[in-house]
Amino acid sequence: MNERMVLSGSLGFLSLGDIVQLLGSSGSTGVLRLINRYAPEPGFIYFIEGNPINAQNGDLEGLDALYSLFGWVNGSFEFTREAIMSDKRITKSRMGIILEGMKLLDDGLIKKIGPATGHDSTAELKQTLSKTAIVKGPLVDYMYVVDEEDFFDGERIVEEGKHGSWIWVILEGVVDIVKEVDSVPIPIIRVGDGSFIGSMASFLLQGHIRTATAIAVGNVQLGVLDSQRLAQEYAALSLDFRTFLTSLDKRMKQLTDRIVEYHEGKIHTDEILKDTKVLIRQSSSEEKQLYVVKQGRAAVVRETKSGPVLLCHLYKGDFFGNVPFLHLGHEPEGASIYGSENIKIAKIEAVSLQKEYNRLSTTFKNIVDNMATSISVTADLVCSSVISKNSETKVTSNEREEKT
């Protein structure tokens, strides 16, 4: 037996999406080997600190290879811990990869490798995909859990617009996060074991108002976290790191608002970007610096096939650039930064922030990591909703033209 092997099993029991989330939550470095009797040779995915950096499947390499492996719905897998010498060919965030891989599989754009079936399994496939699309957090640290609460299917855990100064971790179950517009729920994200209900503002601000509604999907067990202990740990951090975390929290809130705004057609990105200049270009792999806004404003914008999509606004005190210890799915790999004409920025010493991040308690670090994952996933959902809405508009426009 390979002594370096730390995880193995069946792809019929754990999907590739689940495996990637599991390795991501544990920050594992090594090689995931996939074996399928219907494929001529194994597939490989290379991880550094829980993030896929390259993949191989026959002649395919990088992101194309990784996506193709989502079609391996049968077979086995094994993960071995080892140093990775492979070049970094994948920069997309792991949750972005999971969601896109499942969407491609659902749309029939990835070939399923397995035994031929004599029936249409589309409904079963969609049911499986809905399960694997759940955003899961790291393994739960029970040191900060002071109580447990149970909620039943359809029960509202928190309601948008209501006050609340506590935060939960999901011990077991699934929760839908939604925004409500004219009493109609708009889905934002679906979270599962290890994810958190409530933001850092929940335990930092007295009379904090909830910005979204959380609804139990099936029976859910939550762990109530020690808010006072978390607030004390936050207060002991440096001003720079607290400012960084606050900026991170604001990004998450803006992204949930953005889904609603695009849904209602309230965002006009071209007007927002008028008279701005590019500070960081999307996919600029050479950009390794972290910055803070000192004056003016900036915008985080993803370039898509449907045009630029606004993700967030940045103001004085907000950061942007490369965060070496977090994978937000934003700049520089997944978004551009546009600045106003009067913008002034300064470099941030990312090394000192990373040292402080490394000293965080397990629970606090899990909250930060899970927020980064949620930011990445929600940004993808914002862009997907814009692309989908633009496609619907184009179809409607074409139908009108045909009638005339």
Side-chain angles (χ1 to χ4, degrees):
M1 180 178 175
N2 188 342
E3 294 182 357
R4 295 178 300 174
M5 188 188 302
V6 294
L7 182 68
S8 63
S10 167
L11 288 169
F13 178 71
L14 275 181
S15 71
L16 180 56
D18 287 329
I19 299 167
V20 172
Q21 287 204 66
L22 183 61
L23 295 175
S25 66
S26 60
S28 301
T29 295
V31 179
L32 178 66
R33 184 170 181 257
L34 306 177
I35 303 164
N36 188 319
R37 60 180 292 191
Y38 299 96
E41 53 190 279
F44 299 90
I45 305 175
Y46 304 93
F47 289 80
I48 292 182
E49 296 180 355
N51 295 291
I53 59 112
N54 201 359
Q56 291 179 321
N57 182 12
D59 295 332
L60 297 176
E61 192 171 7
L63 203 52
D64 289 340
L66 203 162
Y67 284 147
S68 71
L69 292 171
F70 276 85
W72 291 27
V73 293
N74 291 280
S76 60
F77 68 88
E78 55 188 39
F79 181 78
T80 56
R81 271 204 192 108
E82 56 185 273
I84 299 299
M85 306 303 293
S86 173
D87 294 336
K88 185 175 183 178
R89 294 178 178 266
I90 297 174
T91 58
K92 192 176 179 70
S93 68
R94 61 174 173 268
M95 278 309 306
I97 290 169
I98 292 168
L99 292 175
E100 182 66 17
M102 293 188 300
K103 183 178 184 301
L104 291 171
L105 185 63
D106 189 25
D107 293 343
L109 300 177
I110 294 176
K111 183 180 180 181
K112 291 179 65 176
I113 306 297
T117 57
H119 66 285
D120 183 4
S121 59
T122 302
E124 296 173 14
L125 176 59
K126 287 188 176 180
Q127 185 178 9
T128 302
L129 291 173
S130 67
K131 292 178 181 178
T132 56
I134 299 167
V135 177
K136 296 180 181 179
L139 298 175
V140 176
D141 171 29
Y142 284 85
M143 291 294 291
Y144 277 54
V145 176
V146 294
D147 197 6
E148 295 181 3
E149 294 183 359
D150 294 313
F151 293 85
F152 302 101
D153 185 36
E155 192 172 354
R156 296 189 170 210
I157 300 166
V158 299
E159 286 193 61
E160 183 178 352
K162 297 293 180 67
H163 293 272
S165 57
W166 53 92
I167 185 171
W168 295 272
V169 61
I170 302 177
L171 304 178
E172 186 176 351
V174 175
V175 175
D176 277 339
I177 308 299
V178 304
K179 296 278 286 184
E180 299 197 40
V181 179
D182 298 328
S183 300
V184 177
I186 297 176
I188 302 296
I189 194 171
R190 174 169 281 193
V191 294
D193 299 3
S195 287
F196 297 86
I197 308 297
S199 66
M200 282 188 288
S202 302
F203 59 83
L204 294 178
L205 301 175
Q206 291 295 324
H208 169 66
I209 297 177
R210 304 289 187 182
T211 59
T213 298
I215 304 172
V217 180
N219 295 338
V220 175
Q221 185 178 51
L222 302 180
V224 182
L225 298 184
D226 190 335
S227 296
Q228 184 176 358
R229 192 172 173 185
L230 289 169
Q232 289 172 346
E233 182 173 359
Y234 177 86
L237 298 172
S238 70
L239 177 60
D240 284 346
F241 200 80
R242 279 182 284 152
T243 303
F244 170 78
L245 293 178
T246 301
S247 184
L248 202 66
D249 203 46
K250 287 191 289 184
R251 282 202 187 203
M252 186 64 232
K253 180 183 181 302
Q254 284 194 64
L255 284 166
T256 59
D257 291 340
R258 207 98 304 141
I259 289 180
V260 175
E261 290 167 350
Y262 273 115
H263 177 79
E264 296 181 324
K266 292 181 178 180
I267 296 290
H268 302 286
T269 307
D270 292 338
E271 294 180 12
I272 294 170
L273 298 183
K274 187 179 179 181
D275 299 325
T276 62
K277 56 187 177 183
V278 177
L279 303 179
I280 293 179
R281 180 70 67 185
Q282 182 172 320
S283 302
S284 55
S285 56
E286 69 278 1
E287 179 60 64
K288 300 296 182 184
Q289 187 61 51
L290 189 61
Y291 302 91
V292 63
V293 178
K294 291 292 187 180
Q295 177 184 300
R297 62 176 179 83
V300 184
V301 177
R302 179 165 299 173
E303 316 291 349
T304 75
K305 62 184 180 182
S306 291
V309 175
L310 174 69
L311 299 179
C312 312
H313 289 291
L314 304 176
Y315 300 98
K316 183 178 179 179
D318 287 326
F319 76 91
F320 67 87
N322 180 56
V323 184
F325 52 92
L326 290 180
H327 299 273
L328 304 177
H330 285 189
E331 74 283 354
E333 295 92 351
S336 298
I337 301 293
Y338 290 79
S340 60
E341 290 183 343
N342 66 331
I343 194 164
K344 291 184 180 179
I345 61 176
K347 292 182 179 180
I348 298 178
E349 190 57 57
V351 174
S352 61
L353 291 182
Q354 176 146 19
K355 288 179 180 177
E356 216 167 342
Y357 166 82
N358 292 339
R359 292 195 297 267
L360 292 175
S361 68
T362 301
T363 293
F364 210 109
K365 188 181 291 184
N366 286 351
I367 291 173
V368 176
D369 289 348
N370 189 235
M371 183 160 52
T373 299
S374 297
I375 286 172
S376 175
V377 172
T378 309
D380 288 340
L381 294 174
V382 171
C383 295
S384 296
S385 65
V386 173
I387 293 171
S388 176
K389 193 174 185 66
N390 288 347
S391 297
E392 291 174 4
T393 303
K394 187 175 181 180
V395 169
T396 304
S397 177
N398 289 340
E399 289 175 348
R400 287 201 195 100
E401 289 178 2
E402 289 177 1
K403 288 180 181 180
T404 56

